[in-house]
Amino acid sequence: MATHVAAARAKQPKSGTSAGVLTVLLTSVAYFMVALDTLVVVTALPRIHRDLGGNVDTLQWTVNAYVLAFGATIITAAALGDLIGRRRMYVFGLAVFTAASAACALAPNIGFLIAFRAVEGIGAGIIMPLGLTLLTSAFPAERRGAVVGIWGGVAGLAVASGPLIGGAVTQGLNWHWIFWVNVPVGIAAIVGSRLRLAESRGPSSRLDLPALALVAAGVGALTWGLVQAGQDGWGSVQTITGLCAGAALIAAFVAWERRTAEPMIPLGLFRSASFSAAVATQFLMAAAIYSAAFLTSQYFQFALGDSPLGTGLRFLPWTATPMVIAPIAGLVFDKIGARPLIVPGLLMQAVGFAWIIYLAAHSSGYASYVAPLILAGVGISMALPSVSAAGLNAVSPQTLGKAAGVMNTMQQFGAVFGIAIATTVFNANGSLASPAAITSGYRPALGVAAGLSALGAIAALGIRRARVARTAAESSAPVLVDAKG
């Protein structure tokens, strides 16, 4: 046992080593690429429509197909990574994503573009959880807050630059280049990851094919139902069918996991109050972020008359702050734990959104929005790295891959849920017919995002700080224990 622990620690990069820097760089660059592609297409949709055709609902699937495949793949990819090797599966995901990006750039019509976007989402669903697992397993628990803080800052950079890059590339070149840019980056990431990332695996176990089928189909059906809710309403046949089928499949998955000897997702993970609270917080936080970004993009463009590129620039006080604050929050997390950062952070974002709702009612100029956007940005920057680090620190090293898969799936699921709820509220109170009608729908819909932020803060109260306990036989190996406080 002592030999195994020493070997495991020998693989962890020492502070400041080139191996540690490369691990952070390689996983962060790939994460930036897949996170960027969630938003980069939005500002290119008018040009895509002009070249490839399709109505509004069809064009929306260039975004939805990516998110749906992304969310449905994560848990399956994490399980396969534990079995056949996390680095090997990660490199495969990079190859799928890179090839699909090139195919998107070459798509001859809208149908092919949507299909290739779904394949691109599968690649992203492999990259995201395995990148996080490779990153966190390469560092000891007492340093994970700092490295995940950097990773969270990259997420903020992707959110901030998605509309900017999409608008700038589309206007300066053409929409095809928003996909071509992924190809050289993806190839470099494949080569670097294959040569420099350390391989790791989860506990040795057989591949649970029934569980893989049930969870992939269940998450896919639920995501489909939520997407349809945003388009057709919560009472539509498609929405009800998707949600009911998804719930039934997930229930069957849980029943199967309870009886199988080697579950794909150990349900014992949820016996940890901290892990369960972190999962709930991740879901609500993502729902708040993505619904607010979706709504505010429409508000700035259609109500205030901004261009797509101008809208991206106006987002910066909110979306660029994670680049500065998230790494600092990660360092502070290692000293004080997650709850003192997440709870006030999400409440700050809720207050920032409420402030914007007030300003929208009074037809204020953009300058007055800067302060509440900064307030919301600083708040979410405190929470972003802390939620991920808290969830992963609450589980054993052997289950890091599966825990990361669960948390990342909930993030994607939360994003779709938040947009669906906000769109429904917007449609019930306003429309895109005029700036006044847009504002009438925007204010209550942004209130949903504020409420989701506040609920996330409440959920985070269940997170307990993990302390490091040591035994005489394993004095050098950190063992994570939930502490009361």
Side-chain angles (χ1 to χ4, degrees), residues 234 287 291-292 294-295 417-427 441 444-446 448-449 452:
W234 290 90
S291 60
F294 176 79
L295 291 165
F417 174 81
I419 292 173
I421 293 285
T423 300
T424 301
V425 172
F426 179 91
N427 289 336
L446 188 62
V448 171
L452 289 167

Side-chain angles (χ1 to χ4, degrees), residues 149 152-153 156 285 289 317-330 341 345-346 349 374-386:
M285 181 174 69
I289 294 170
W318 177 41
T319 58
T321 47
M323 291 185 285
V324 178
I325 304 298
I328 298 172
L341 291 167
L346 289 177
Q349 180 170 256
I374 291 175
L375 178 65
V378 171
I380 198 60
S381 302
M382 293 164 58
L384 273 172
S386 305

Side-chain angles (χ1 to χ4, degrees), residues 146-234:
V147 296
V148 175
I150 296 171
W151 200 73
V154 168
L157 177 61
V159 172
S161 58
L164 283 171
I165 291 175
V169 171
T170 300
Q171 290 179 18
L173 297 169
N174 59 57
W175 65 265
H176 302 273
W177 281 95
I178 65 177
F179 299 111
W180 280 126
V181 73
N182 291 332
V183 175
V185 177
I187 292 172
I190 290 169
V191 174
S193 299
R194 183 68 184 85
L195 294 177
R196 303 307 298 265
L197 290 183
E199 183 62 282
S200 67
R201 286 180 170 84
S204 178
S205 61
R206 64 180 178 83
L207 184 60
D208 191 348
L209 291 176
L212 286 173
L214 287 169
V215 73
V219 172
L222 285 172
T223 307
W224 167 274
L226 290 173
V227 169
Q228 293 302 119
Q231 293 182 354
D232 302 326
W234 290 90

Side-chain angles (χ1 to χ4, degrees), residues 238-381:
Q238 295 93 329
T239 300
I240 294 172
T241 300
L243 295 180
C244 290
L249 288 164
I250 293 298
F253 168 76
V254 172
W256 176 266
E257 293 291 88
R258 286 182 180 276
R259 57 184 289 237
T260 189
E262 297 180 356
M264 189 176 79
I265 298 177
L267 298 181
L269 285 174
F270 295 94
R271 295 194 189 103
S272 166
S274 290
F275 180 75
S276 297
V279 168
T281 305
Q282 183 91 316
F283 175 87
L284 293 164
M285 181 174 69
I289 294 170
Y290 281 89
S291 60
F294 176 79
L295 291 165
T296 304
S297 176
Q298 311 307 312
Y299 177 69
F300 281 163
Q301 290 186 62
F302 293 114
L304 301 185
D306 294 323
S307 68
L309 184 58
T311 296
L313 290 170
R314 290 176 185 265
F315 265 128
L316 289 178
W318 177 41
T319 58
T321 47
M323 291 185 285
V324 178
I325 304 298
I328 298 172
L331 291 171
V332 175
F333 169 90
D334 291 329
K335 296 179 173 58
I336 67 174
R339 193 167 56 185
L341 291 167
I342 300 171
V343 175
L346 289 177
L347 289 176
M348 286 169 64
Q349 180 170 256
V351 171
F353 289 166
W355 191 350
I356 292 171
I357 293 169
Y358 170 81
L359 293 174
H362 293 80
S363 302
S364 302
Y366 172 73
S368 61
Y369 289 87
V370 173
L373 286 171
I374 291 175
L375 178 65
V378 171
I380 198 60
S381 302

Side-chain angles (χ1 to χ4, degrees), residues 17-113:
T17 65
S18 60
V21 172
L22 280 172
T23 299
V24 174
L25 178 63
L26 287 168
T27 54
S28 296
V29 167
Y31 181 37
F32 172 85
M33 190 168 59
V34 302
L36 179 73
D37 263 47
T38 305
L39 297 176
V40 74
V41 176
V42 174
T43 50
L45 286 179
R47 297 289 180 89
I48 293 173
H49 170 67
R50 186 186 68 186
D51 290 350
L52 301 183
N55 56 33
V56 173
D57 288 340
T58 304
L59 290 172
Q60 287 296 317
W61 276 102
T62 61
V63 179
N64 294 339
Y66 181 81
V67 174
L68 191 153
F70 197 156
T73 305
I74 289 172
I75 292 179
T76 301
L80 289 172
D82 284 350
L83 181 68
I84 67 175
R86 292 162 179 163
R87 184 189 65 187
R88 181 179 300 173
M89 193 69 187
Y90 181 69
V91 171
F92 174 71
L94 286 168
V96 170
F97 184 90
T98 303
S101 294
C104 287
L106 296 170
N109 57 54
I110 193 68
F112 275 101
L113 178 60

